Amino acid sequence: MAPTHVLRCCQRGLAWIPVIFIAMVVCWSYYAYVVELCIFTITSIGKQVAYLILFHLSFIMFVWSYWKTIFSRPSNPSKEVSCNPEQLYCAIYVNGLKWPVLNLYFLQYCLPKAEKEHYEKEARPESQQEILWRAATNLPIYTRTGAGAIRYCDRCQVIKPDRCHHCSACDMCVLKMDHHCPWVNNCVGFSNYKFFILFLAYSLLYCLFIAATVLQYFIKFWTNDLQETHSHAKFHVLFLFFVAAMFCISILSLFSYHLWLVGKNRSTIEAFRAPVFRTGSDKNGFSLGFRKNIVQVFGDQKKYWLLPIFTSQGDGLTFPTRLVIGDVEQPNATLQADHSKSEVTVSSLSESQNRLLNNEQHTKSIGDHVANNSGKSASNNTTTLSMESES
């Protein structure tokens, strides 16, 4: 037990090495730009002031977003009953909903004590799935495993909400997990995905600004056009340009990729493995259209988009899905339920109404599944008994 604990502490300590490395590079870049370039190399006072002001603006935003990305704790599904007060208010006073639909707002992703003990004692996977299907009846979850089963984390002992995955590095389930980033020593997910995007944007801006303003002095040092009195700054200026250009290339590709993911409303995990719904896998299952996809990450108030302040929509547990078959930009679409072959034409609804409508169908679908499987298990038991009596 003790060696395992010591090994775990060593792993946590080593995980901070990439962050410390980035911090050291940033501190050196600050010294090289402010002291060696602006103070010792640039002779024009006006250019010094302009460069320092613009540099510090980009530096502050870069460090702020990087800090928020590192120290924003990943959100995980609570093992207690949780309720979103805003959603509950809208459900009661705006939509006038009553039980059992209102019960969807009280979310419990952990199995009750009796069901949990039954699940752990049960050896057959089919019986374990029956327990999970019953527990998920009132949960607004639409994604499944590749085999169509309820997604359950044996490590955290919770039913996984949509877009939630277990991170082995953090040893926890993370809501809307995108990936675990070693450069921030943190999981990028629902709680800090906006911060991560801004961190990439401001780090790219920081490197571009340094490379653009240092370029002319880099050329002068390279061609020996500057006086010998500036020779002590030569190494810092030359190396500063190379480092800034190198980071520009790497960050630009990563930033472009994540902008594409935001526009498609996908995580990195979903880009490589499409989420599986009741109707099958769908890589665009959570896409609501380009504009709504952007708003879901950055919020509906544009004045906060460029600030490392949490403004993402939702609670990380539930997400609007494309359960309505058809183009997401179309006002009318055809809705096809799992338990019926008939097609019903529905008009455009508000997001809350659409979600509640889908939750009712989801509850009925799970109930039908449990009933069908119970019937199958009863039929199997009857057949087994008859065969034993005949033998």
Side-chain angles (χ1 to χ4, degrees):
M1 187 69 179
T4 304
H5 179 70
V6 172
L7 180 62
R8 185 66 179 172
C9 292
C10 292
Q11 289 177 342
R12 290 179 179 177
L14 293 175
W16 285 100
I17 292 180
V19 178
I20 295 174
F21 171 75
I22 294 296
M24 293 175 63
V25 172
V26 172
C27 291
W28 167 80
S29 68
Y30 184 89
Y31 165 79
Y33 192 91
V34 174
V35 178
E36 298 295 343
L37 178 68
C38 292
I39 296 179
F40 291 149
T41 304
I42 299 177
T43 56
S44 173
I45 302 298
K47 186 177 289 187
Q48 284 181 344
V49 173
Y51 280 10
L52 287 174
I53 291 176
L54 294 176
F55 172 81
H56 280 91
L57 285 176
S58 61
F59 179 80
I60 291 173
M61 297 306 296
F62 162 62
V63 173
W64 186 10
S65 58
Y66 189 43
W67 178 276
K68 294 286 287 186
T69 306
I70 295 174
F71 295 104
S72 293
R73 180 174 174 81
S75 300
N76 63 308
S78 174
K79 294 185 179 181
E80 304 295 333
V81 178
S82 60
C83 174
N84 188 314
E86 181 180 354
Q87 289 183 341
L88 182 60
Y89 176 85
C90 293
I92 298 176
Y93 296 102
V94 178
N95 297 326
L97 298 177
K98 299 180 181 179
W99 300 95
V101 178
L102 190 57
N103 191 38
L104 295 170
Y105 287 89
F106 294 87
L107 310 178
Q108 185 179 16
Y109 290 90
C110 180
L111 293 176
K113 185 176 181 180
E115 295 288 344
K116 180 181 176 181
E117 294 177 354
H118 187 195
Y119 178 87
E120 293 174 348
K121 293 179 181 179
E122 190 61 58
R124 295 185 305 165
E126 297 83 3
S127 300
Q128 289 181 333
Q129 273 299 308
E130 286 298 323
I131 297 173
L132 295 179
W133 277 99
R134 288 195 297 268
T137 301
N138 291 329
L139 295 179
I141 54 176
Y142 303 107
T143 54
R144 305 285 185 262
T145 64
I150 296 294
R151 300 167 62 244
Y152 182 77
C153 180
D154 292 309
R155 179 74 175 175
C156 299
Q157 297 182 336
V158 293
I159 297 175
K160 295 180 182 179
D162 293 341
R163 316 185 81 173
C164 177
H165 300 275
H166 185 86
C167 176
S168 57
C170 297
D171 195 25
M172 62 185 297
C173 285
V174 180
L175 297 181
K176 196 187 176 184
M177 178 179 173
D178 188 88
H179 69 286
H180 184 89
C181 181
W183 299 107
V184 299
N185 190 27
N186 199 1
C187 241
V188 178
F190 174 75
S191 63
N192 62 349
Y193 188 60
K194 177 191 174 183
F195 305 148
F196 178 74
I197 297 294
L198 292 179
F199 157 63
L200 294 178
Y202 288 122
S203 59
L204 179 61
L205 179 64
Y206 180 74
C207 293
L208 284 174
F209 176 79
I210 291 178
T213 54
V214 171
L215 178 59
Q216 58 177 320
Y217 300 98
F218 169 82
I219 296 174
K220 290 181 179 180
F221 275 125
W222 194 264
T223 58
N224 295 320
D225 287 344
L226 288 179
Q227 301 175 0
E228 290 296 326
T229 55
H230 302 292
S231 60
H232 64 281
K234 183 175 182 178
F235 166 78
H236 292 283
V237 173
L238 293 178
F239 197 60
L240 185 61
F241 178 80
F242 279 120
V243 172
M246 180 186 65
F247 275 98
C248 270
I249 296 173
S250 59
I251 295 174
L252 179 61
S253 59
L254 185 61
F255 180 58
S256 302
Y257 176 67
H258 276 279
L259 284 183
W260 179 79
L261 289 178
V262 171
K264 295 291 184 179
N265 204 342
R266 300 177 197 170
S267 64
T268 301
I269 296 176
E270 293 165 354
F272 285 94
R273 185 175 65 250
V276 179
F277 296 87
R278 299 194 301 271
T279 55
S281 61
D282 184 3
K283 62 182 180 180
N284 295 319
F286 294 104
S287 180
L288 307 174
F290 180 77
R291 180 181 173 277
K292 290 185 178 180
N293 293 342
I294 298 294
V295 170
Q296 192 174 102
V297 175
F298 290 93
D300 51 7
Q301 294 186 331
K302 295 182 180 180
K303 61 182 178 180
Y304 297 121
W305 280 13
L306 299 181
L307 296 178
I309 300 173
F310 185 82
T311 55
S312 300
Q313 290 184 340
D315 54 7
L317 296 170
T318 58
F319 297 90
T321 58
R322 289 183 60 183
L323 296 182
V324 179
I325 302 174
D327 188 355
V328 295
E329 301 292 347
Q330 296 297 327
N332 296 315
T334 302
L335 177 66
Q336 184 175 355
D338 292 345
H339 57 275
S340 176
K341 297 294 183 179
S342 60
E343 296 184 351
V344 182
T345 302
V346 294
S347 58
S348 59
L349 302 173
S350 64
E351 289 185 10
S352 59
Q353 290 172 325
N354 262 321
R355 184 183 299 180
L356 293 170
L357 176 61
N358 295 330
N359 283 337
E360 288 183 280
Q361 295 169 349
H362 161 73
T363 303
K364 185 175 182 180
S365 175
I366 291 182
D368 294 343
H369 175 87
V370 174
N372 292 335
N373 285 343
S374 300
K376 289 180 182 178
S377 61
S379 176
N380 293 336
N381 293 337
T382 305
T383 305
T384 304
L385 290 174
S386 63
M387 290 177 65
E388 289 179 355
S389 61
E390 290 176 359
S391 62

